[in-house]
Amino acid sequence: MPSSIPEDETGFDRVLRFTIPQRNARGRVVRLSPVLDLIQGAHAYPPAIRHLLAEALVVTALIGSLLKDGEGQLTMQAQTEDGVVDLLVCDYRGGELRGYVRHDAERLAALGTNPSLYALFGRGYLAITFDVATTGQRYQGIVPLEGDSLGAACEAYFAQSEQVPTLIRIATRSEGGHCVAGGLLLQHLAEGEEGRERLHVRLDHPEWEHVAALAGSIRHEELIDPDLSLEALVWRLFHDEAEVRVEAGRPLERGCRCSVEHYTSVIAQFPDTDRADMRNEAGLVVVDCAFCSRLFEIPA
């Protein structure tokens, strides 16, 4: 598997893209750490929520890196009407990640240290939205929030909404408030490599069964091992294939887009009467950014 990717290109907070042409498969692998600390550090999340958000950010980075245009945006949102977690939202745009979880702290404490996805959300749904910058189009798929992980729910999304056989594996580890998370995404584009029309989709296609079996052998420890480069990880899984093409994706960073200028432009779109209702005694509109937990005082 020839590659010109330097070793430091395959470390933390970076996506590695790969394709297996003879199997009509494409994949992404990512490992996050510093960016997780920045995003999670905006809130005093308990361990179970930190784990959930880390998993969600890995999935968001994997799926977001599938966007072909550099300015498109992927938003993943999980909601429920009466769950312990009533909102989870993450998005990816041009290598920038952000995420936020809203939850009931008292009900969460009653669940113990390692609650299941169903215990956190109950009956919920997962919405994945793609905003394509080059065309201005938006398309969304919504699936029940089922399975034992967010990765499993996203596999169901691709199977039902996109008709693309998909395997996703996620691993996380937290130590003393510091978190490492990694993930692998593999897809089969039947009857053609990426960029060609998919003439049919078969979940039991021999090509897909072969590469899915190889990818499914990945171990939790491999995804989060800082001494194992992402390129070496792909090589371990697929070294018997005739050809594997790898390409470094964008570096990943925290991308909260809040600013005084942004909120000023948003507030300016409201009628005068609405802006008057927003003002405090000092004549300012105070905006609390849920993503980065900062307060902005906006002259109205």
Side-chain angles (χ1 to χ4, degrees):
M1 183 175 64
S3 170
S4 60
I5 301 175
E7 185 68 18
D8 61 359
E9 292 285 318
T10 58
F12 288 125
D13 299 345
R14 189 175 297 271
V15 176
L16 186 71
R17 308 150 62 101
F18 65 92
T19 59
I20 309 173
Q22 283 73 18
R23 303 291 182 181
N24 296 310
R26 70 174 178 182
R28 304 288 187 269
V29 62
V30 65
R31 188 177 294 131
L32 305 178
S33 186
V35 72
L36 284 182
D37 292 339
L38 285 173
I39 294 172
Q40 295 183 339
H43 298 273
Y45 290 124
I49 300 300
R50 290 175 62 87
H51 174 91
L52 175 67
L53 183 55
E55 182 180 2
L57 288 166
V58 169
V59 172
T60 301
L62 290 170
I63 299 176
S65 65
L66 297 174
L67 288 163
K68 294 181 176 64
D69 65 314
E71 299 305 319
Q73 179 168 311
L74 175 283
T75 303
M76 185 176 73
Q77 183 170 311
Q79 279 190 286
T80 181
E81 292 183 1
D82 192 35
V84 173
V85 175
D86 66 345
L87 175 65
L88 164 69
V89 59
C90 298
D91 67 38
Y92 170 100
R93 187 178 74 177
E96 295 183 343
L97 284 171
R98 62 178 182 174
Y100 169 68
V101 181
R102 189 172 66 209
H103 67 286
D104 187 319
E106 292 185 4
R107 292 175 61 192
L108 176 67
L111 296 180
T113 58
N114 190 29
S116 66
L117 191 70
Y118 183 80
L120 290 172
F121 286 96
R123 295 187 181 276
Y125 67 87
L126 178 72
I128 296 180
T129 306
F130 290 92
D131 289 285
V132 183
T134 52
T135 63
Q137 293 180 318
R138 166 180 289 191
Y139 57 101
Q140 182 182 75
I142 300 176
V143 295
L145 191 57
E146 297 175 343
D148 59 0
S149 67
L150 287 174
C154 289
E155 288 180 350
Y157 161 80
F158 279 107
Q160 297 176 28
S161 299
E162 302 288 328
Q163 290 81 51
V164 177
T166 301
L167 178 144
I168 298 175
R169 294 291 182 267
I170 307 295
T172 65
R173 182 181 65 206
S174 296
E175 294 178 354
H178 174 68
C179 187
V180 178
L184 168 75
L185 177 147
L186 183 72
Q187 295 186 320
H188 186 231
L189 305 181
E191 296 299 332
E193 195 181 342
E194 185 174 2
R196 290 176 56 188
E197 182 181 2
R198 290 184 292 111
L199 300 181
H200 71 274
V201 173
R202 285 174 48 196
L203 293 176
D204 63 346
H205 195 293
E207 290 177 352
W208 172 242
E209 290 180 335
H210 175 79
V211 293
L214 295 177
S217 70
I218 195 168
R219 301 193 308 273
H220 184 281
E221 295 77 14
E222 292 175 304
L223 285 169
I224 55 177
D225 182 358
D227 296 323
L228 179 64
S229 73
L230 300 183
E231 185 185 25
L233 180 56
V234 173
W235 171 251
R236 279 190 182 183
L237 295 173
F238 305 111
H239 61 272
D240 284 335
E241 297 303 306
E243 180 184 14
V244 180
R245 302 173 184 173
V246 295
E247 176 188 0
R250 290 189 176 203
L252 302 171
E253 58 186 356
R254 184 181 68 171
C256 194
R257 297 180 287 277
C258 59
S259 67
V260 171
E261 293 76 14
H262 171 71
Y263 289 126
T264 298
S265 66
V266 172
I267 292 171
Q269 299 174 31
F270 287 86
D272 291 342
T273 53
D274 290 348
R275 292 203 300 271
D277 292 337
M278 297 177 190
R279 298 187 187 107
N280 61 16
E281 295 180 355
L284 302 173
V285 177
V286 179
V287 181
D288 181 0
C289 177
F291 289 101
C292 67
S293 194
R294 288 193 295 168
L295 294 176
F296 294 84
E297 295 183 336
I298 312 298

